[in-house]
Amino acid sequence: LGRPTPKARTELQEAIRAEPDRRAKALLDATEYDALRRLAAERSVPNSGVRTWKASTLALALDTPACAGEASSGQPYPDAALARLARSRGVEVVGLETLIEQFGALDGLPPDTERALLQSVLRQAPHGPNLIETQVTRYLRKDAGGLLALMQLGPVPDDPATRTPAEFLRRLVTDRTKRMVERMQPLLDRGNAVIAVGITHLPGRDGLLAMLERAGYGLTP
């Protein structure tokens, strides 16, 4: 939500750096690793990241195909644009989590899961542009459940090899949703809060809306 301090940048670099035996080169065979390096170059992920980042960080960094990156080039992320607008109007801005916490939620994945995660990234890559089009279409239709299902089933539902590992998604979505709900309740109770989260945190029994309802909050679409 703001420019990170040198200390915060150092902490983030430490948080995303993998142990040598848990880096992509150790997890993948030579052919897969070469394919990962080519994909990273296409998507402007530094080679140093391929060599040293955790598998979960690489998966997040490689999630957006080049076409989507080009379309948003030079534009701030929606989070940053919203925070900038709020500050320009004198509105307090509070983060529900830090980047360190976001990456930390993905720590401790078993090596087999990390390997499967990187392999799924490679298998999803050819479907990247179509996947983005489908995501945008479902978003514009306000189909939060459909977007979550797309994350869970992958771009080719009949091909399990293209699916993102369920354990990774549980930590990325469900576990972080629980933390968000806990941290937003004092803000909701104080009143006059505008809270923005990624759309896939909203639907389902373990989604933010159901959790808030179970906590006693009234919801109106």
Side-chain angles (χ1 to χ4, degrees):
L1 292 173
R3 188 177 297 278
T5 64
K7 179 182 178 183
R9 284 196 294 270
T10 299
E11 290 175 348
L12 181 60
Q13 289 168 357
E14 289 297 322
I16 65 177
R17 185 178 295 117
E19 295 296 326
D21 63 341
R22 302 293 288 272
R23 294 175 182 175
K25 192 169 186 178
L27 294 169
L28 302 174
D29 63 33
T31 301
E32 291 170 332
Y33 184 68
D34 285 344
L36 189 73
R37 291 180 61 189
R38 291 194 298 272
L39 180 62
E42 292 171 9
R43 299 190 176 178
S44 301
V45 173
N47 191 48
S48 59
V50 178
R51 287 189 282 103
T52 63
W53 289 353
K54 293 176 180 176
S56 54
T57 305
L58 272 174
L60 295 174
L62 294 169
D63 187 51
T64 304
C67 62
E70 291 165 3
S72 62
S73 179
Q75 301 297 317
Y77 280 100
D79 317 52
L82 185 60
R84 185 182 303 167
L85 176 63
R87 289 193 179 101
S88 72
R89 299 186 178 185
V91 176
E92 179 188 11
V93 177
V94 178
L96 295 178
E97 64 179 354
T98 67
L99 269 177
I100 298 290
E101 289 174 329
Q102 188 177 98
F103 287 116
L106 304 171
D107 277 351
L109 289 170
D112 287 347
T113 302
E114 291 184 322
R115 181 179 298 107
L117 176 61
L118 293 178
Q119 289 170 338
S120 71
V121 167
L122 291 173
R123 289 164 182 152
Q124 288 177 16
H127 307 282
N130 288 338
L131 189 58
I132 289 292
E133 287 293 331
T134 304
Q135 289 173 335
V136 170
T137 298
R138 292 187 180 183
Y139 181 87
L140 293 175
R141 291 177 180 171
K142 302 179 182 179
D143 184 8
L147 272 167
L148 183 58
L150 183 65
M151 289 179 68
Q152 293 168 337
L153 295 175
V156 186
D158 294 336
D159 182 4
T162 65
R163 292 180 190 170
T164 303
E167 174 66 6
F168 174 80
L169 291 178
R170 180 184 66 79
R171 295 182 184 213
L172 181 68
V173 181
T174 307
D175 289 358
R176 291 176 54 232
T177 299
K178 291 177 182 177
R179 180 165 60 201
M180 292 176 184
V181 170
E182 291 172 359
R183 291 185 177 176
M184 70 174 61
Q185 288 187 45
L187 303 172
L188 293 172
D189 294 343
R190 194 171 69 183
N192 295 321
V194 174
I195 296 176
V197 301
I199 191 172
T200 51
H201 291 286
L202 298 179
R205 176 171 176 77
D206 294 322
L208 186 149
L209 299 179
M211 292 178 69
L212 284 175
E213 197 164 41
R214 290 197 296 271
Y217 292 89
L219 302 178
T220 303

